[in-house]
Amino acid sequence: DVKVTQSSRYLVKRTGEKVFLECVQDMDHENMFWYRQDPGLGLRLIYFSYDVKMKEKGDIPEGYSVSREKKERFSLILESASTNQTSMYLCASTTSGEGTDTQYFGPGTRLTVL
Amino acid sequence: GEDVEQSLFLSVREGDSSVINCTYTDSSSTYLYWYKQEPGAGLQLLTYIFSNMDMKQDQRLTVLLNKKDKHLSLRIADTQTGDSAIYFCAESGPSGGYQKVTFGTGTKLQVIP
């Protein structure tokens, strides 16, 4: 079974703090993704990575950065958290190549920025 | 860019059939997916259909694809309270890069006992 884990289920931070969200997958997947989920907006892609040290912007990268130093780990960084970044953050991974792109999701981190 | 749309809510009685609908804009979509998200959890793949198929059935789930109208539906037969969740339609294909998946807004299914 593919397992994707996220470092925290719930996180409360203050405006201006630097926030790290960690994601680890154990299936040697090349591709990893960070989404945020907001009611009525569905999932929106923040950043994704095709390989170690590779990153590409998704649809809403502003205010976020990412780090992929090891294949299994993909970190999302909020350099200076703001209240509009209060959301559910979901990490996912998938393997490369043509064929289904089934995404395997972690349980999510619910971040509240006060 | 690609767009995937769904209605936000659906309420059905236990034992009835549920039909969740989805429309998408990318005519080159290759795979279309249905994911389920239970409360407090991440998304889990329920089923998928390749774009050259019209229908796929898997136990209580039936997926119908109308490629001409870019319309996808998920039918759940004999809906149970455990089916209460948010259901996401999604697509992937060459225009977005095969590894990149575009998700809809999600349909919250409420099953009334």
Side-chain angles (χ1 to χ4, degrees):
Chain A
D1 269 359
V2 176
K3 195 167 183 184
V4 181
T5 56
Q6 295 183 228
S7 50
S8 306
R9 293 299 303 271
Y10 300 93
L11 211 50
V12 180
K13 295 291 181 182
R14 296 206 174 273
T15 301
E17 279 193 82
K18 191 168 185 175
V19 182
F20 292 87
L21 303 182
E22 302 282 336
C23 174
V24 177
Q25 50 93 6
D26 66 358
M27 282 302 291
D28 203 35
H29 283 172
E30 296 85 1
N31 311 304
M32 297 186 75
F33 304 80
W34 274 106
Y35 297 90
R36 62 176 284 176
Q37 180 182 7
D38 300 287
L41 297 177
L43 271 68
R44 291 181 292 168
L45 182 63
I46 304 171
Y47 267 97
F48 58 106
S49 169
Y50 286 139
D51 202 349
V52 175
K53 297 195 187 295
M54 303 282 287
K55 59 184 179 185
E56 291 206 29
K57 293 179 180 178
D59 301 317
I60 52 162
E62 296 79 18
Y64 303 94
S65 62
V66 290
S67 172
R68 185 126 182 245
E69 295 296 318
K70 292 185 178 181
K71 193 175 186 180
E72 66 270 20
R73 188 180 296 270
F74 192 35
S75 303
L76 180 70
I77 303 151
L78 287 67
E79 294 289 341
S80 177
S82 63
T83 54
N84 63 12
Q85 292 178 309
T86 291
S87 187
M88 169 72 94
Y89 289 87
L90 292 166
C91 175
S93 74
T94 188
T95 192
S96 286
E98 288 195 29
T100 66
D101 300 292
T102 300
Q103 299 217 338
Y104 297 88
F105 282 84
T109 296
R110 186 165 291 282
L111 172 67
T112 301
V113 182
L114 302 175
Chain B
E2 303 83 8
D3 196 19
V4 179
E5 294 196 358
Q6 307 174 234
S7 54
L8 291 180
F9 297 104
L10 177 66
S11 182
V12 299
R13 291 207 173 274
E14 190 174 16
D16 287 351
S17 290
S18 309
V19 179
I20 303 171
N21 294 299
C22 168
T23 57
Y24 60 98
T25 57
D26 186 359
S27 56
S28 67
S29 293
T30 305
Y31 292 97
L32 295 122
Y33 312 82
W34 284 104
Y35 283 81
K36 178 183 181 182
Q37 184 182 34
E38 295 184 350
L43 279 69
Q44 188 172 15
L45 181 71
L46 267 183
T47 187
Y48 68 91
I49 188 167
F50 189 55
S51 60
N52 68 354
M53 298 168 65
D54 298 325
M55 186 181 89
K56 182 177 181 181
Q57 189 152 4
D58 183 2
Q59 299 183 329
R60 291 191 298 122
L61 305 178
T62 303
V63 178
L64 295 177
L65 174 61
N66 182 327
K67 199 172 178 183
K68 175 175 165 289
D69 294 339
K70 300 192 195 68
H71 182 267
L72 184 73
S73 68
L74 174 69
R75 179 176 180 269
I76 305 172
D78 186 25
T79 312
Q80 303 297 306
T81 53
D83 295 323
S84 293
I86 302 175
Y87 291 82
F88 288 90
C89 172
E91 65 86 28
S92 67
S95 59
Y98 278 105
Q99 291 78 38
K100 192 176 166 194
V101 176
T102 301
F103 289 87
T105 53
T107 299
K108 186 170 185 177
L109 175 64
Q110 179 187 38
V111 182
I112 304 164

